[in-house]
Amino acid sequence: MQLTYVAVVILASMVFVLSGMVGYLYWQQTRMLQHLQSLAGVISTHLVRRPEPQPEPEAEPEAEAEAEAETEQEQDDMPLLVSIKEVAEDDRLSVEKVDGPPATAPTAVKTDDLDKKTSAELRELLTSRGIPFGKRDAKSVLLQLLKATA
Protein backbone atom coordinates (compact mmCIF):
# COMPACT_ATOMS: atom_id res chain seq x y z
CA MET A 1 0.00 0.00 0.00
CA GLN A 2 2.80 2.40 0.80
CA LEU A 3 4.34 1.70 -2.58
CA THR A 4 1.25 3.04 -4.32
CA TYR A 5 1.37 6.23 -2.24
CA VAL A 6 5.02 6.74 -3.16
CA ALA A 7 4.26 6.16 -6.86
CA VAL A 8 1.36 8.67 -6.76
CA VAL A 9 3.54 11.32 -5.03
CA ILE A 10 6.36 10.86 -7.56
CA LEU A 11 3.93 11.03 -10.48
CA ALA A 12 2.23 14.16 -9.09
CA SER A 13 5.57 15.89 -8.52
CA MET A 14 6.63 15.07 -12.09
CA VAL A 15 3.39 16.54 -13.44
CA PHE A 16 3.88 19.64 -11.30
CA VAL A 17 7.48 20.12 -12.52
CA LEU A 18 6.52 19.58 -16.17
CA SER A 19 3.64 22.06 -15.95
CA GLY A 20 6.03 24.60 -14.42
CA MET A 21 8.48 24.07 -17.28
CA VAL A 22 5.73 24.50 -19.89
CA GLY A 23 4.58 27.71 -18.17
CA TYR A 24 8.14 29.04 -18.12
CA LEU A 25 8.57 28.31 -21.84
CA TYR A 26 5.27 30.04 -22.63
CA TRP A 27 6.36 33.10 -20.61
CA GLN A 28 9.73 33.22 -22.43
CA GLN A 29 8.01 32.89 -25.81
CA THR A 30 5.62 35.78 -25.15
CA ARG A 31 8.49 37.91 -23.88
CA MET A 32 10.54 37.18 -27.00
CA LEU A 33 7.58 38.00 -29.27
CA GLN A 34 7.07 41.33 -27.50
CA HIS A 35 10.73 42.22 -28.02
CA LEU A 36 10.56 41.26 -31.69
CA GLN A 37 7.43 43.36 -32.20
CA SER A 38 9.00 46.40 -30.58
CA LEU A 39 12.15 45.91 -32.67
CA ALA A 40 10.07 45.64 -35.85
CA GLY A 41 8.25 48.85 -34.88
CA VAL A 42 11.51 50.72 -34.42
CA ILE A 43 12.92 49.43 -37.68
CA SER A 44 9.76 50.32 -39.59
CA THR A 45 9.82 53.89 -38.25
CA HIS A 46 13.49 54.44 -39.11
CA LEU A 47 13.57 52.69 -42.45
CA VAL A 48 10.66 54.26 -44.26
CA ARG A 49 10.58 53.62 -47.98
CA ARG A 50 11.23 56.71 -49.99
CA PRO A 51 9.24 57.29 -53.16
CA GLU A 52 11.21 56.42 -56.24
CA PRO A 53 12.05 59.33 -58.54
CA GLN A 54 9.85 59.55 -61.58
CA PRO A 55 11.47 58.00 -64.66
CA GLU A 56 12.55 60.14 -67.56
CA PRO A 57 9.92 60.56 -70.29
CA GLU A 58 12.42 59.41 -72.97
CA ALA A 59 12.48 55.80 -71.71
CA GLU A 60 10.37 53.18 -73.43
CA PRO A 61 7.05 52.47 -71.70
CA GLU A 62 7.42 48.67 -72.03
CA ALA A 63 10.84 48.68 -70.36
CA GLU A 64 9.48 50.84 -67.56
CA ALA A 65 6.56 48.50 -66.95
CA GLU A 66 8.90 45.49 -66.76
CA ALA A 67 11.32 47.31 -64.43
CA GLU A 68 8.47 48.43 -62.15
CA ALA A 69 7.06 44.90 -62.06
CA GLU A 70 10.46 43.52 -61.09
CA THR A 71 11.03 46.10 -58.35
CA GLU A 72 7.53 45.55 -56.95
CA GLN A 73 8.12 41.81 -56.91
CA GLU A 74 11.45 42.29 -55.12
CA GLN A 75 9.85 44.64 -52.60
CA ASP A 76 7.09 42.14 -51.90
CA ASP A 77 9.67 39.43 -51.28
CA MET A 78 11.62 41.56 -48.76
CA PRO A 79 9.19 43.87 -46.91
CA LEU A 80 11.49 44.78 -44.00
CA LEU A 81 14.78 44.98 -45.88
CA VAL A 82 16.07 48.23 -47.32
CA SER A 83 18.13 48.35 -50.48
CA ILE A 84 21.81 49.16 -50.18
CA LYS A 85 21.32 52.32 -52.21
CA GLU A 86 18.91 53.76 -49.62
CA VAL A 87 21.27 52.91 -46.75
CA ALA A 88 24.28 54.34 -48.56
CA GLU A 89 22.64 57.74 -49.10
CA ASP A 90 24.43 60.57 -47.36
CA ASP A 91 22.20 62.43 -44.91
CA ARG A 92 24.79 64.93 -43.68
CA LEU A 93 24.30 68.64 -44.16
CA SER A 94 26.06 70.24 -47.08
CA VAL A 95 28.39 73.15 -46.38
CA GLU A 96 29.00 75.88 -48.89
CA LYS A 97 32.48 77.37 -49.02
CA VAL A 98 32.48 81.16 -49.25
CA ASP A 99 35.56 83.05 -50.36
CA GLY A 100 36.39 86.42 -48.89
CA PRO A 101 36.20 88.05 -45.47
CA PRO A 102 33.38 87.27 -43.05
CA ALA A 103 30.26 89.41 -43.22
CA THR A 104 30.82 91.09 -39.86
CA ALA A 105 34.53 91.63 -39.44
CA PRO A 106 35.53 92.78 -35.95
CA THR A 107 36.57 96.38 -35.89
CA ALA A 108 40.22 96.87 -35.18
CA VAL A 109 40.81 98.98 -32.09
CA LYS A 110 44.09 100.77 -31.68
CA THR A 111 45.84 99.76 -28.50
CA ASP A 112 46.98 103.35 -27.93
CA ASP A 113 43.36 104.54 -27.56
CA LEU A 114 42.49 101.81 -25.05
CA ASP A 115 44.35 103.49 -22.18
CA LYS A 116 42.10 106.56 -22.44
CA LYS A 117 38.83 104.59 -22.24
CA THR A 118 36.92 103.86 -19.05
CA SER A 119 36.41 100.36 -17.71
CA ALA A 120 32.73 100.44 -18.76
CA GLU A 121 33.75 101.20 -22.36
CA LEU A 122 36.32 98.40 -22.23
CA ARG A 123 33.64 95.97 -21.01
CA GLU A 124 31.39 97.00 -23.93
CA LEU A 125 34.24 96.33 -26.37
CA LEU A 126 34.87 92.94 -24.83
CA THR A 127 31.18 91.96 -25.00
CA SER A 128 30.90 93.15 -28.60
CA ARG A 129 33.86 90.94 -29.51
CA GLY A 130 32.50 88.01 -27.50
CA ILE A 131 35.47 87.83 -25.14
CA PRO A 132 34.61 86.57 -21.64
CA PHE A 133 35.68 88.62 -18.64
CA GLY A 134 34.90 88.88 -14.94
CA LYS A 135 32.48 91.41 -13.47
CA ARG A 136 35.04 92.74 -11.02
CA ASP A 137 38.06 92.71 -13.32
CA ALA A 138 40.22 95.80 -13.03
CA LYS A 139 40.87 98.14 -15.93
CA SER A 140 44.38 96.72 -16.35
CA VAL A 141 43.00 93.18 -16.73
CA LEU A 142 40.46 94.36 -19.32
CA LEU A 143 43.24 96.16 -21.20
CA GLN A 144 45.37 92.99 -21.21
CA LEU A 145 42.47 90.98 -22.59
CA LEU A 146 41.88 93.46 -25.40
CA LYS A 147 45.58 93.71 -26.26
CA ALA A 148 45.92 89.91 -26.30
CA THR A 149 43.06 89.52 -28.76
CA ALA A 150 43.98 92.50 -30.98
Side-chain angles (χ1 to χ4, degrees):
M1 181 92 104
Q2 292 180 357
L3 185 61
T4 56
Y5 290 133
V6 171
V8 168
V9 168
I10 290 175
L11 200 57
S13 63
M14 289 176 68
V15 168
F16 180 76
V17 168
L18 287 175
S19 64
M21 290 173 69
V22 169
Y24 177 73
L25 288 175
Y26 177 75
W27 177 66
Q28 287 291 331
Q29 179 186 7
T30 54
R31 217 173 110 201
M32 174 110 40
L33 286 175
Q34 287 175 351
H35 288 300
L36 286 174
Q37 286 176 349
S38 64
L39 184 63
V42 168
I43 288 174
S44 67
T45 58
H46 287 291
L47 300 178
V48 177
R49 292 186 188 198
R50 296 184 184 106
E52 295 182 14
Q54 294 183 359
E56 298 176 7
E58 298 173 345
E60 298 177 7
E62 294 176 1
E64 288 180 7
E66 290 176 8
E68 289 177 6
E70 289 177 9
T71 55
E72 288 177 7
Q73 188 177 24
E74 290 175 4
Q75 290 175 357
D76 292 340
D77 292 340
M78 298 181 286
L80 291 179
L81 298 179
V82 178
S83 68
I84 296 172
K85 183 178 179 182
E86 291 178 5
V87 173
E89 289 181 5
D90 191 13
D91 59 347
R92 293 178 285 178
L93 295 175
S94 61
V95 178
E96 296 179 12
K97 186 175 180 181
V98 179
D99 294 333
T104 56
T107 58
V109 177
K110 295 180 181 177
T111 55
D112 299 334
D113 296 338
L114 293 178
D115 295 331
K116 298 176 184 174
K117 294 191 178 198
T118 63
S119 60
E121 292 172 339
L122 294 175
R123 285 190 184 98
E124 288 177 17
L125 277 173
L126 286 170
T127 54
S128 67
R129 289 186 177 188
I131 302 169
F133 60 92
K135 291 180 184 178
R136 298 184 182 184
D137 285 343
K139 184 178 177 179
S140 60
V141 174
L142 298 175
L143 284 170
Q144 288 176 354
L145 284 172
L146 282 169
K147 287 178 182 178
T149 57

